[in-house]
Amino acid sequence: MARLVYERADLLPLLGEVFREHGFEGASLAVISRRTGLGKGSLYHFFPGGKEEMAAAVLAHVDHWFETQVFRPLREEPDGRRAITAMLEATDAYFRSGRRVCVVGVFALAESRDRFAVKVASYFSAWIDALAGALGRAGHPPDDARALSEEAVGLIQGALVLARALDDPAPFARTLARLKARLVPERPAP
Amino acid sequence: MARLVYERADLLPLLGEVFREHGFEGASLAVISRRTGLGKGSLYHFFPGGKEEMAAAVLAHVDHWFETQVFRPLREEPDGRRAITAMLEATDAYFRSGRRVCVVGVFALAESRDRFAVKVASYFSAWIDALAGALGRAGHPPDDARALSEEAVGLIQGALVLARALDDPAPFARTLARLKARLVPERPAP
DNA sequence: GTCTATAGAGTGATAGAC
DNA sequence: GTCTATCACTCTATAGAC
């Protein structure tokens, strides 16, 4: 029999897409089985805790990606403007310019929020904290930086909702462009 | 037998809360039955089309509320600044200052988007169109008005996602305050 | 009797757990 | 694959208003 290579880590991107598209409640084991090509037995072998463990692993995987690709650079890059520009580019790439929604946002709005409350909250607060720091280094006064950061993260989530609701990625692209103009203006800072 | 009051219209606010909290997929008939206090027989008496008809009726009810309380005033109030101020107040009241999410946004992010695609899209485009008009009458140049409107509607949705994700209504309240400063600045227009 | 609102047992299908 | 619980839904029965 053809031992098709899988380890748990290989499954996470596939599972991520399933939860992103269907939400936690809507992602049935039948769908997960079809999309991963694995039977229920294999899925329970990798994730003994069942669907909840799969979703938790996906959230951890997403969180790790953002931590290394977005949050840490935001915190550590000394040039705040460069840090923010990189964040906007990574964000655009990750959300495929609005064709992909945020699985954490999807979980946040549904019943699943309660089940994954800690992970959902920490993802957003880590993002807001890291961005506020970079905005400060980019020259925004501390109080403005905090408010602007919260607004930017909310705006990204809202643009994803709009893009999905209107079935059109353009609102997301326009929003990122406007965000860039506000967060990294041509002249060093307001 | 105890003829207990209900007509279809009385059920819509209750159903709205159930779908808002649980999403379409998460709102089981058992939950709906418990929350409305009605047995399945009664529910199917009012909504022969079942859960899908209940959700469609809730979306129509929400849409009607926004049409009469938000969109039409935005279109018809000649004073753009007054129209926008009224919209922000109605929005704050409707979403209970961030303690309530948007059922249309909840549907938009989940699988249910496809099922209710037309209603979901038209809700957001009606809002953006109406607000863009009012922003124009408030003195914003037409191109800015369109972009600003899209941004404002997205920002409201994003703030609701954040408020729910962080389990804290404060981000929504702060967002509305900042929005007011940008949409209706102290001096007539930028 | 007819009509409307009610309750809930019972249907097959499908869920997630194992 | 097997299991049980739960899903959306159907159907029958019943109570009261007319």
Side-chain angles (χ1 to χ4, degrees):
Chain A
M1 185 58 205
R3 270 291 170 129
L4 268 180
V5 296
Y6 284 125
E7 336 174 12
R8 201 178 131 119
D10 297 324
L11 290 170
L12 293 178
L14 295 171
L15 290 174
E17 290 309 304
V18 176
F19 284 118
R20 188 190 306 281
E21 292 165 25
H22 297 85
F24 181 78
E25 290 81 10
S28 70
L29 282 194
V31 171
I32 294 170
S33 176
R34 181 165 48 78
R35 291 281 293 268
T36 58
L38 293 179
K40 294 182 211 170
S42 306
L43 292 172
Y44 272 84
H45 169 68
F46 290 120
F47 302 96
K51 205 169 93 161
E52 175 147 358
E53 188 179 339
M54 296 178 208
V58 163
L59 286 181
H61 183 244
V62 169
D63 199 69
H64 179 258
W65 191 92
F66 273 85
E67 176 58 33
T68 56
Q69 305 297 313
V70 180
F71 306 159
R72 191 175 306 158
L74 274 177
R75 284 187 218 106
E76 295 181 357
E77 162 62 50
D79 180 341
R81 292 168 56 86
R82 186 191 299 264
I84 295 161
T85 302
M87 177 202 89
L88 291 171
E89 281 165 11
T91 302
D92 187 55
Y94 183 83
F95 295 117
R96 307 270 155 77
S97 302
R99 277 174 286 271
R100 220 183 181 199
V101 295
C102 176
V103 67
V104 191
V106 171
F107 277 33
L109 274 194
E111 255 184 322
S112 41
R113 197 268 318 249
D114 300 325
R115 206 188 285 255
F116 304 105
V118 174
K119 286 187 177 187
V120 166
S122 70
Y123 168 85
F124 287 110
S125 48
W127 196 344
I128 292 170
D129 289 348
L131 177 56
L135 285 165
R137 297 199 304 284
H140 294 85
D143 287 357
D144 288 10
R146 183 89 210 155
L148 202 49
S149 177
E150 181 175 271
E151 180 158 342
V153 174
L155 205 39
I156 289 168
Q157 290 298 314
L160 291 171
V161 173
L162 271 191
R164 167 102 170 178
L166 299 172
D167 198 19
D168 175 13
F172 181 78
R174 288 193 288 263
T175 294
L176 274 198
R178 289 191 298 263
L179 249 188
K180 179 164 188 181
R182 285 175 58 205
L183 301 183
V184 197
E186 293 304 314
R187 289 153 189 281
Chain B
M1 187 190 281
R3 228 130 211 282
L4 269 181
V5 296
Y6 285 128
E7 334 175 15
R8 201 180 131 118
D10 297 325
L11 289 172
L12 292 179
L14 294 172
L15 291 175
E17 290 309 305
V18 176
F19 285 117
R20 189 190 308 280
E21 292 166 24
H22 296 86
F24 181 77
E25 289 82 10
S28 71
L29 279 194
V31 170
I32 293 170
S33 177
R34 183 166 48 77
R35 290 281 293 271
T36 58
L38 292 179
K40 288 180 235 170
S42 304
L43 292 172
Y44 275 85
H45 170 69
F46 290 119
F47 302 95
K51 209 169 91 160
E52 176 148 355
E53 187 178 341
M54 296 178 207
V58 163
L59 286 182
H61 183 243
V62 169
D63 198 70
H64 179 258
W65 191 93
F66 272 84
E67 175 59 33
T68 55
Q69 306 296 313
V70 179
F71 305 158
R72 191 174 307 159
L74 274 178
R75 281 187 221 107
E76 295 181 357
E77 163 61 51
D79 180 342
R81 293 168 57 85
R82 186 192 298 265
I84 295 161
T85 303
M87 177 202 87
L88 291 170
E89 282 166 10
T91 302
D92 186 56
Y94 183 83
F95 294 117
R96 305 270 155 78
S97 302
R99 276 174 288 271
R100 221 185 182 198
V101 294
C102 176
V103 67
V104 190
V106 171
F107 278 33
L109 275 194
E111 257 184 320
S112 41
R113 197 267 319 246
D114 300 325
R115 205 187 287 255
F116 303 106
V118 174
K119 285 187 178 187
V120 166
S122 70
Y123 168 85
F124 286 110
S125 49
W127 196 342
I128 292 170
D129 290 347
L131 178 56
L135 285 165
R137 296 198 304 283
H140 294 85
D143 286 356
D144 289 11
R146 185 85 208 161
L148 202 49
S149 177
E150 182 175 88
E151 180 159 343
V153 173
L155 202 41
I156 289 169
Q157 291 298 313
L160 292 171
V161 172
L162 272 191
R164 168 100 171 182
L166 299 171
D167 198 19
D168 174 13
F172 181 78
R174 288 193 289 264
T175 295
L176 275 197
R178 288 191 299 264
L179 250 188
K180 179 163 186 182
R182 285 175 58 206
L183 302 184
V184 198
E186 294 301 315
R187 289 156 190 276

